[in-house]
Amino acid sequence: MQASKWLAHQVLLDGEEMKDLLASVGNFEVYPVGRILQEGEPFSFVEEYCRYVEKLKQGAETEVPAILCVALSCSSEAVQRVEVAPGKMLWRSQLPVVQVQPHSLSYSPLNDTFYPLVRGKETISWGVQFSYPQLFQKGKEIEKVDERFPNTALYKALTRWIRHHTVATPFVVNGMKRRVPIRIGKKCLGWIHCHAQLKKQGLSVDPN
């Protein structure tokens, strides 16, 4: 799928918040993308996400698992099942879908800036990024992604939930509180002090 001008929301949610979010946005399917699957291989996005969050709560230095890279779609026509070998297959997007990616951020003391969607040794794992394109290329034609596409309403429902149930993260840097557009679920504020990678970099989040 050829798409561009992606809208994106980075957010760390509690496990219960992730369940609430996905339950609130209507009917859709989760498609593991970007990896080859065994035929009939079991997979639960919510269970994998909750396991990740539990590790954060326990103070473990853990990365967001790559298995959380998935596509959300309320239409089976937006994805294509491809058999790559006997008993093995993968999913490919054909129309705009809501992409979910593991997300980590970094903080640079040199310019006092937080950067989203960064990978590396000094990054801080921070939930997932939900993204959706604004332009889509079909053949030689470039189309605006609007209400004609079935997953536009799904993405709008996701963003409404995020807007009402999360906040811009109130990071504390050198004793000063900074509101950063990267989001955090309100239920995370009670345990975010356990986040080992935040502590390692001398950062914290104001829970109030």
Side-chain angles (χ1 to χ4, degrees):
M1 182 187 75
Q2 299 294 320
S4 62
K5 295 189 71 175
W6 294 80
L7 300 173
H9 295 267
Q10 302 91 20
V11 60
L12 175 63
L13 299 175
D14 184 79
E16 291 303 314
E17 288 175 317
M18 181 62 78
K19 292 177 185 178
D20 291 344
L21 167 58
L22 298 182
S24 72
V25 295
N27 296 322
F28 65 92
E29 296 292 335
V30 178
Y31 298 92
V33 293
R35 63 188 181 93
I36 296 175
L37 306 167
Q38 293 288 339
E39 195 72 47
E41 178 180 334
F43 172 73
S44 171
F45 175 84
V46 169
E47 288 180 8
E48 294 291 342
Y49 185 85
C50 288
R51 275 194 281 270
Y52 156 70
V53 169
E54 286 306 309
K55 290 179 181 178
L56 291 183
K57 291 180 179 180
Q58 293 163 11
E61 283 196 43
T62 184
E63 301 302 321
V64 189
I67 199 171
L68 293 181
C69 183
V70 300
L72 310 181
S73 179
C74 58
S75 169
S76 60
E77 295 180 359
V79 294
Q80 179 185 22
R81 181 185 180 281
V82 180
E83 185 173 347
V84 295
K88 295 184 178 182
M89 51 81 66
L90 58 78
W91 291 103
R92 287 179 179 163
S93 303
Q94 297 191 112
L95 294 172
V97 295
V98 176
Q99 289 195 354
V100 185
Q101 298 168 263
H103 175 252
S104 56
L105 60 90
S106 69
Y107 170 72
S108 171
L110 295 177
N111 55 8
D112 190 27
T113 301
F114 286 87
Y115 294 97
L117 207 63
V118 178
R119 295 182 180 180
K121 292 183 178 180
E122 300 302 316
T123 58
I124 300 165
S125 70
W126 202 265
V128 296
Q129 172 177 278
F130 296 99
S131 57
Y132 193 65
Q134 297 182 78
L135 295 177
F136 168 69
Q137 184 171 351
K138 187 175 182 180
K140 294 183 179 180
E141 298 295 324
I142 297 177
E143 300 182 38
K144 181 180 179 181
V145 179
D146 53 24
E147 306 302 331
R148 295 172 298 159
F149 291 87
N151 290 314
T152 299
L154 174 62
Y155 184 70
K156 288 184 175 181
L158 282 163
T159 56
R160 277 196 302 271
W161 190 97
I162 290 171
R163 186 166 60 249
H164 290 126
H165 295 86
T166 71
V167 295
T169 306
F171 285 109
V172 179
V173 183
N174 297 323
M176 301 292 292
K177 184 161 76 172
R178 294 263 313 281
R179 288 278 181 181
V180 176
I182 297 166
R183 311 287 289 187
I184 185 170
K186 296 174 183 178
K187 291 183 179 179
C188 297
L189 296 174
W191 56 260
I192 194 62
H193 62 279
C194 299
H195 198 311
Q197 292 166 329
L198 276 178
K199 295 179 183 179
K200 188 175 181 180
Q201 298 204 28
L203 302 170
S204 61
V205 172
D206 187 340
N208 300 312

